[in-house]
Every structure is written in C-alpha cells, then in structure tokens.
Amino acid sequence: MATRLTKELFREAQTYSQTIVNGLNKAVSPFHSVATVKSLLHKQDFKELKETEEWELEGGSKYYFTRNNSSICAFAIGKNVREGSVPNSFKLVGCHTDSPTIRIAPISNIDKAGYKEMGVQCYGGGIWNTWFDRDLTFAGRVVTYNDDTGRLEDKLWHHKNPLIRIPNLAIHLCSADERTNKEKHLKPIIATSIIDALMDPSSDEEEKIVKESRYSIEKKHLKSFLDLMAGEIDTKAENIVDFELSMVDTNKSCLMGLHKEFISSGRLDNMLSSLVATHSLLDVSKDIPDDNSVNMIYLFDHEEVGSKSDQGADGVLVKDSLERIYASFNEGMIDVGYKSALRHSLCISADMAHAIHPNYADKHQAQHTPMMHKGIVLKTNCNQRYMTDSVNSAIIRELANRADVPLQDFMIKQDLPCGSTIGPALASTVGMKVIDIGAPQLSMHSCREICGTTDTLYYHNLFCEFFRNFQDVAGSILDH
Ligand SMILES: [Zn+2]
C-alpha cells in the first residue's frame, strides 16, 4: 500500500513545515522550547496544572504541566473517563527538548591575548567543529533576585543579534595534525579588551569602586555582558544570581533547496519531533473522543546527556504523572486497573533518524538506507538500544497504512556502535511498551541540521492516526 508522493502532498508538506520552522526559531533552548509549546497549548485551551497542587481532572478536558520549565507534558482525557470509570489506556508520544550545545561556564570571564573570551562547557555530543565561524548568541534561563519582593525569579533570555564567535585558525597557521580540543579551542570571543575597557562606564571615575553584589556575580562573568543581559530582562546586573545559557546560531531556521524541500535548522534533533508531536496532539484534541483513553505528549530535557534527572525520561516523571491521572478518577488509588491500563498502552519514542548520506553511503547497511521524503523510520536494535519489536512495529505499520504514511526500516551497521533514545529508559522505568521511530535527517548533532519537508507531514499524520486509532488497531495483541 505504498503512498504516491504527489505535488499536492508536497505543497501541503511545505506549508506544514513552515509552521514547524516558526516554532524552531523560538525553541532555542530547552526552556524556550517549553515556553513555545506552552503558548501553543494555551491557544487551544489546555489548562495548566502544577505538580505542587491538587489535580482536579475531568474527562473530555485538556491539561499540561511542566517540570523545571525544561520538560513538559500535555494530555487530553477521553470523554468517558470520570470517577469510577478510569482510564484504560495511555497513548504517549515522547520526544526531547534538549540538543547538543555549548554552555557558559560557572566562571566565564577570561582575558587573553587582547580579547575578552568566555569559558564554556560542552553539553552532549555535538559536532563541535560546526560551531566555528558562525554568528552565535546565547539563550536560556536566568535566575534573578527581585529587590522589591526579596524573592528569586527565573526569566528567559535570548539575545537575538550576533554576540559571540568561535574563530577558526587560519589555514596558514594550521599544522598537519591540528584537531579541535574541547578545552582549548571552543571558547568564544565576545569583545576586544581595549574596546571593552573604553566602553566601561566606570572607567572614567578616578577611583573605581567595585560594588560587591549580593551574589558576587561580577567576579565570575564579564561585567559588560551582565549589563547587556540585565538590561534585556529588566533587572540590574548585581541582581543576577545564576544562569544556564547555551550558544545558539543567529542564522534563522528556514526552508531551503531548489524546491524548498529541506528544513535547515539547529536542534532538529529533537525539537522537530517535539513540535510535530505538539501540533498533532492539538489537532486531535479539537474533538476529544468518547472513550477511556488518554492522549499524551511528553517532551523531556536531558536526553542528550543520558536522561537521568528529575525532569529526564530515565526518572519518575512519567510514572508519577500517569499514576496521578489514573488515581484522580479512582479515589486517589492505584489498583490492578492501572496495571492493566499500562499493558494496553503504547509510547512512541519519536527521535530523529539517520538518512543515508550521499558522500558516506557506505556508513549505512545496504538494505537499511532511510531517505528523505520516503517516510518515517522504524529503528530496530535487537540489543534493546531501540525498543521496536514485531508487535509494536506491526501496530505502527497498520496505523501507517491507514494514514497513507510510508515507513522505512533502519538498523545500524554491525561494525558501528548503536545510538539510543529515551525509549529504553521509558520502557524500563514505567513498565510499558515503547517503539522507536523518527524522521530521517542529515548532520545529526551539527550546529545546523537538515531534514525533508514531506517526512515532517508524514510524522504528523502518523501521530494523529496513533492518537485516534491505536486501540482499534492494537485489539488484543498487547494482552499477553
Ligand atoms: Zn535525539
């Protein structure tokens, strides 16, 4: 039942992909990703829950909650769910909000060879060479002290203009064995020392009185950098307590190629999946079905560094929240009905996949060569790096048939180590069936990645079909 790619479908995919590109341009850090998703959910009347408060849930309603402002879960409860008529299955799409990047060090102020440089640390496994010679900036979360209230607050910051640069070494100065050293070579320059001193407003004073702030932040980071940040988040530099700021490319995400058939962006892994999952849940939640299932998305922080944290997938976040949703309709109790609901549930772990690379085609096994515009990739690894098995793949294959979504199979070459996803963590911590799928892309973990527009629409259509028809397709095959 192969789908024929038509011009109409391709045009529809371009339009849909532009929506995703708009989201990618806002989702510049895990904190911004959560804020972006939150604003989409708000527009469609999803109500915010707090984990610190009692949850009073109702069937036929839509909710979301965040943890650490870097992970987010949204869900829509079937209309038949009420006290005594508990949820009987959970349909999850799980993705991640984080991407490999370079973050500011706890003490970043470096004065070297006439430059103001910034100390950094690498987050995850990036292709660090791709961050050189780009017009970069910073984005993330800043914690401040509010003078008026005496309270701590967290704020988002994204400076939109080019601010920092990791300069390449001129080819004439390279020795034959020159390799990027993460400690030595990734520090960006932000200013020259001479101009920074010239522009310092306190430099005119005869005696410089360095006013020590409550948190001594000015001893750790460049004062003019703190001033810039403080001005943009409406605080004073001395009231900045701490921050988690990551490098971001200022070059905007866009459609590209001769036929505008590619999405070019940072963070496709895995904000593309996260945004598509969000739009799919929004679409299917316009009309919540008369059943006892719960449609959900979980977008986790910390996948790129192993998922072990209180907001990561290899923790209790999913278990906590599924139990809480179930217990809300069962006098606060978890019982055998919950265990049964888990066995009738499925989580799609949606993370990007490796398309075959024309210049490195031998890196793919000849029979497993996912291509752009040819569909969603089922990832299989019998050593359980991916959770796909014959039962959950059969369910997805049938859903894909019904939704006219082509599928492709991927298995890593046997002489290469296999990557992994949130899949194994979720399956083992929650005790539910998980399948690993993804949209094919090139340049994974580069500062700039690309994927195909058509697969982006296929991804959406498959998620919607899953939310709408999983129980019908799964039947009793998950009963044993
Ligand atoms: Zn990923």
Side-chain angles (χ1 to χ4, degrees):
M1 262 211 268
T3 310
R4 210 171 68 84
L5 177 56
T6 59
K7 281 185 185 163
E8 290 69 36
L9 187 68
F10 175 59
R11 295 277 175 242
E12 188 191 344
Q14 275 180 323
T15 308
Y16 179 69
S17 296
Q18 187 57 54
T19 310
I20 300 301
V21 164
N22 297 343
L24 287 165
N25 278 319
K26 294 178 190 147
V28 288
S29 76
F31 310 104
H32 288 82
S33 300
V34 165
T36 305
V37 169
K38 255 172 97 163
S39 77
L40 291 170
L41 295 167
H42 265 295
K43 279 187 205 145
Q44 250 187 56
D45 302 324
F46 275 70
K47 295 182 202 105
E48 180 164 16
L49 300 168
K50 299 242 185 263
E51 287 194 286
T52 47
E53 295 169 1
E54 193 78 32
W55 288 5
E56 285 174 19
L57 308 179
E58 281 175 31
S61 298
K62 308 175 274 193
Y63 304 93
Y64 74 87
F65 69 92
T66 61
R67 194 178 273 191
N68 187 49
N69 272 336
S70 62
S71 291
I72 185 164
C73 164
F75 55 96
I77 305 174
K79 280 186 187 147
N80 287 356
V81 177
R82 58 184 174 275
E83 187 66 42
S85 177
V86 291
N88 62 10
S89 87
F90 301 98
K91 290 165 274 174
L92 282 61
V93 177
C95 311
H96 61 93
T97 58
D98 62 323
S99 305
T101 182
I102 301 171
R103 292 201 174 167
I104 300 183
I107 301 172
S108 73
N109 195 357
I110 298 171
D111 206 326
K112 192 171 179 189
Y115 293 97
K116 292 292 185 187
E117 278 195 312
M118 300 186 77
V120 291
Q121 54 183 332
C122 295
Y123 178 88
I127 310 175
W128 304 122
N129 289 339
T130 62
W131 291 80
F132 284 75
D133 290 346
R134 285 182 191 264
D135 296 329
L136 302 171
T137 184
F138 286 115
R141 171 167 73 179
V142 185
V143 180
T144 59
Y145 177 79
N146 185 320
D147 276 335
D148 299 330
T149 63
R151 301 235 166 242
L152 299 173
E153 297 171 347
D154 60 328
K155 301 183 178 203
L156 291 177
W157 184 51
H158 176 202
H159 182 74
K160 303 272 171 65
N161 299 320
L163 182 66
I164 48 167
R165 165 75 69 126
I166 310 173
N168 256 308
L169 181 64
I171 191 96
H172 321 79
L173 305 180
C174 282
S175 47
D177 58 349
E178 208 70 57
R179 295 178 69 175
T180 301
N181 178 298
K182 288 202 282 182
E183 175 57 33
K184 282 164 72 177
H185 301 142
L186 290 178
K187 295 180 181 74
I189 54 170
I190 188 165
T192 50
S193 306
I194 185 170
I195 301 298
D196 193 58
L198 179 73
M199 299 306 287
D200 181 355
S202 60
S203 62
D204 298 336
E205 296 161 29
E206 280 208 344
E207 230 179 305
K208 261 204 235 171
I209 303 160
V210 179
K211 193 173 135 236
E212 195 167 318
S213 72
R214 197 178 177 94
Y215 304 98
S216 304
I217 193 89
E218 71 288 341
K219 288 187 180 164
K220 301 191 225 174
H221 305 284
L222 184 61
K223 176 71 166 60
S224 36
F225 171 68
L226 295 172
D227 284 337
L228 172 78
M229 189 193 318
E232 292 185 5
I233 58 171
D234 199 22
T235 189
K236 289 181 272 186
E238 57 264 32
N239 283 348
I240 294 171
V241 186
D242 210 342
F243 46 72
E244 291 150 274
L245 296 172
S246 309
M247 287 188 196
V248 184
D249 192 357
T250 56
N251 188 18
K252 291 205 157 193
S253 309
C254 61
L255 298 185
M256 61 152 290
L258 185 59
H259 306 289
K260 295 231 181 330
E261 67 201 80
F262 303 110
I263 298 178
S264 170
S265 176
R267 309 171 302 282
L268 288 178
D269 173 15
N270 193 18
M271 276 315 293
L272 182 109
S273 309
S274 296
L275 289 163
V276 173
T278 305
H279 282 283
S280 306
L281 181 68
L282 289 174
D283 261 19
V284 300
S285 305
K286 283 176 189 155
D287 186 18
I288 299 177
D290 295 317
D291 67 12
N292 280 69
S293 74
V294 186
N295 285 330
M296 316 185 71
I297 56 167
Y298 280 92
L299 315 179
F300 302 97
D301 195 2
H302 290 160
E303 191 273 348
E304 296 294 354
V305 293
S307 294
K308 279 196 184 294
S309 67
D310 66 334
Q311 66 267 31
D314 198 359
V316 293
L317 174 54
V318 178
K319 189 170 177 291
D320 276 0
S321 45
L322 292 187
E323 289 184 357
R324 211 162 165 179
I325 294 167
Y326 181 89
S328 312
F329 299 97
N330 197 42
E331 296 178 332
M333 285 182 305
I334 290 301
D335 60 10
V336 67
Y338 173 73
K339 306 287 177 192
S340 159
L342 272 193
R343 300 317 307 159
H344 287 120
S345 300
L346 179 65
C347 174
I348 293 181
S349 158
D351 204 342
M352 300 302 279
H354 299 295
I356 188 167
H357 192 308
N359 303 340
Y360 301 88
D362 62 347
K363 292 289 180 187
H364 276 66
Q365 206 184 50
Q367 294 75 30
H368 301 90
T369 57
M371 292 178 192
M372 287 189 201
H373 305 286
K374 292 205 167 179
I376 298 306
V377 180
L378 265 63
K379 307 175 192 174
T380 306
N381 178 266
C382 65
N383 297 304
Q384 304 303 298
R385 303 285 291 163
Y386 302 132
M387 294 289 97
T388 310
D389 66 19
S390 59
V391 167
N392 57 34
S393 87
I395 293 170
I396 293 298
R397 287 177 207 280
E398 177 52 24
L399 288 166
N401 268 343
R402 294 188 184 195
D404 272 337
V405 171
L407 296 176
Q408 313 186 70
D409 286 285
F410 176 75
M411 178 184 87
I412 195 79
K413 257 186 127 172
Q414 294 303 290
D415 52 1
L416 285 173
C418 188
S420 195
T421 65
I422 57 169
L426 284 180
S428 57
T429 56
V430 187
M432 71 190 302
K433 232 174 172 39
V434 179
I435 184 167
D436 277 292
I437 71 169
Q441 71 159 95
L442 292 174
S443 317
M444 191 179 286
H445 290 194
S446 167
C447 185
R448 195 83 175 174
E449 306 169 324
I450 65 168
C451 69
T453 50
T454 318
D455 305 309
T456 306
L457 181 64
Y458 286 147
Y459 223 5
H460 177 96
N461 293 349
L462 184 59
F463 293 156
C464 290
E465 190 70 24
F466 167 64
F467 285 136
R468 290 194 174 112
N469 288 319
F470 163 71
Q471 285 103 323
D472 186 37
V473 168
S476 59
I477 200 164
L478 295 173
D479 285 3
H480 21 256

